[in-house]
Amino acid sequence: MIGDLFTTEYFILTIGLLFIIGVMTTKFSSRIGVPVLILYIAIGMLFGSDGLNFIYFSDYNLTQLIGMLALIIILFEGGLQTEWKNIRPVIGPSISLATLGVLITSVVVAIAAKFILDVTWLEGFLFGAIVGSTDAAAVFAVLKGQNIKQRIGSTLEAESGSNDPMAMILTISFIELITNEQASYFSLIGTFFWQMLVGVLIGLLMGFIAVYSINKINLDSSGLYPVFGLAFALLTFSFSDLIQASGLLAVYVLAVYIGNAEIAYRHSIFRFNEGIAWIAQILMFTILGLLVFPNDLFSFDIIWQGLVISLILILLARPIAVFISTIKQNYNFKEKIFLSWAGLKGAVPIVLATFPMVAELDNGQLFFNVVFFVVLLSAVIQGSTISVVADKLGLSGRTRVEPMHSLELISIGKANAEMVEYEVRDQVNLIGEQLVNIDFPKDALISAIIRNNELVTPTGDTIIKKGDILFILVSKKNKTQLKKLLR
């Protein structure tokens, strides 16, 4: 499977090197404008048997397991960072893109795959299903820090967070139709509605339980709260999958619910999961790079087949899907063009491409190599030009600002208090007022003010100015009252 990798020292050395290279690669990626997932995949190829021959890896079952675990973590972190107030206005078009859009994309690509790859119609539709969805890991990574207009960015995030179930349902269903002559086409419809609706309900239910538990259970260490939150994500996926509902959709709904609720140790939970999500991305994309053999991937047949299918996917299938799915959704022509261009492919299609391999389909290896090539082109061509296209279309907005968050006072243990960090922007009830005249909760204390990157020691006569960053110590019971004042 991995051969000599499982000697203890060699394994630890390899993991340490991969993480260090992965972290440094992230900084390098932002400078050259290439999506980081491409560089992680390149690292995997470099370490693999067709590169430095440092690691030999060809276990599709293990890849599928690691890929699904990583996707759960990445979806959970992405959902935590998603603000409901931003995605609520675009929930309709996002769902349309995540369902109808995926279906249309799959059909158009399936027709192309039937003739380009010389496969049966069912196999063509299987290939279309595999590459039909946008990828949450790729979209979240590329959009993070970009100044895309809020409405467009929220649409892409909501779509990518909710369209994986559609692609997975279609992929599994077509494999079933190929391998089982007794399988029924009509069962696809019932399966789709069950997976989507029950997945949403489970996500909401588990979100409610998670928020209640995090706020009510007093754990001995503050470091346990982030682990507690991540455990709910894993539990939600497992329970949903057990009753054949969409686990990935349930995890995303759970994360959005938690991320928009008032929870204890919020900042610690967010930062912990951000770090874990980076680890998951490094591990997942590196292993996907190890799994592919460049000599096979860059053969003449794979290159021309992957190139033609990529062009059809990017320039035909995705635009058709976007324009049909957003009819009467108040998107103008330029916005639809951008949504079409931003249909990034990533880990999900590659992970789904392992399903035919595990099912031992005749064209499983062909599908995996072509899908991998399509993902590479999508990430390089589309991922590296997102901000450029947004600028050309006039869809660049204000630079994203970190929201108000809390810095938990870990040093005082169970004192039930938090340090809230807040940047004053357009609050007319604060700007120009002296601290003594502002009706803060009685136990709230302004500990420090950062103004123009300099520390200002607050007194009762201190006047609040726009752009000030306030550090406010407040008890948890009065945190809600403080946030109402600040908003």
Side-chain angles (χ1 to χ4, degrees), residues 292-435:
V292 71
F293 294 89
N295 288 334
D296 296 333
L297 180 66
F298 297 113
S299 65
F300 176 76
D301 285 342
I302 298 299
I303 290 175
W304 83 260
Q305 290 170 339
L307 181 60
V308 175
I309 290 176
S310 295
L311 292 176
I312 292 174
L313 175 61
I314 295 172
L315 302 178
L316 185 64
R318 172 68 178 179
I320 291 175
V322 168
F323 275 78
I324 293 178
S325 300
T326 56
I327 291 176
K328 296 183 179 180
Q329 298 287 356
N330 296 322
Y331 290 93
N332 60 41
F333 181 77
K334 289 184 177 180
E335 290 172 335
K336 291 180 181 181
I337 290 294
F338 182 78
L339 290 174
S340 300
W341 187 255
L344 292 171
K345 309 302 173 186
V348 171
I350 300 177
V351 172
L352 290 180
T354 65
F355 283 48
M357 297 290 293
V358 174
E360 298 182 347
L361 298 187
D362 292 338
N363 289 309
Q365 186 66 59
L366 171 66
F367 282 13
F368 181 83
N369 288 333
V370 176
V371 167
F372 206 107
F373 191 87
V374 169
V375 169
L376 286 180
L377 281 183
S378 173
V380 171
I381 296 174
Q382 295 171 281
S384 60
T385 57
I386 286 289
S387 59
V388 175
V389 173
D391 288 337
K392 294 294 184 181
L393 295 174
L395 299 177
S396 296
R398 294 182 303 175
T399 303
R400 293 191 177 189
V401 179
E402 286 293 321
M404 180 180 71
H405 59 257
S406 300
L407 305 176
E408 290 81 10
L409 300 183
I410 297 174
S411 60
I412 60 177
K414 301 178 182 179
N416 204 30
E418 294 184 13
M419 183 72 78
V420 172
E421 177 187 344
Y422 184 69
E423 183 174 356
V424 179
R425 293 195 170 275
D426 301 312
Q427 292 74 9
V428 293
N429 61 321
L430 298 179
I431 297 174
E433 294 288 336
Q434 291 182 319
L435 287 178

Side-chain angles (χ1 to χ4, degrees), residues 80 211 213-229 258 261-273 405-419 476 479:
L80 288 177
V211 170
S213 301
I214 291 171
N215 288 333
K216 294 298 182 181
I217 298 177
N218 196 5
L219 300 175
D220 292 335
S221 171
S222 60
L224 291 174
Y225 285 92
V227 179
F228 198 38
I258 295 175
E262 287 292 334
I263 54 174
Y265 296 96
R266 178 185 185 87
H267 184 57
S268 295
I269 291 173
F270 277 42
R271 296 287 77 80
F272 171 85
N273 281 285
H405 59 257
S406 300
L407 305 176
E408 290 81 10
L409 300 183
I410 297 174
S411 60
I412 60 177
K414 301 178 182 179
N416 204 30
E418 294 184 13
M419 183 72 78
K476 289 183 180 178
K479 183 181 175 183

Side-chain angles (χ1 to χ4, degrees), residues 100-122:
L100 179 61
V102 172
L103 183 60
I104 294 172
T105 302
S106 300
V107 170
V108 176
V109 174
I111 296 172
K114 163 69 174 73
F115 298 102
I116 294 171
L117 302 180
D118 191 23
V119 295
T120 66
W121 278 110
L122 277 179

Side-chain angles (χ1 to χ4, degrees), residues 455-483:
L455 175 66
V456 174
T457 302
T459 65
D461 297 330
T462 301
I463 297 175
I464 300 296
K465 296 183 178 181
K466 186 174 182 178
D468 284 354
I469 299 176
L470 311 180
F471 288 87
I472 310 170
L473 179 63
V474 64
S475 66
K476 289 183 180 178
K477 66 179 180 180
N478 286 327
K479 183 181 175 183
T480 301
Q481 181 182 349
L482 173 64
K483 295 187 78 171

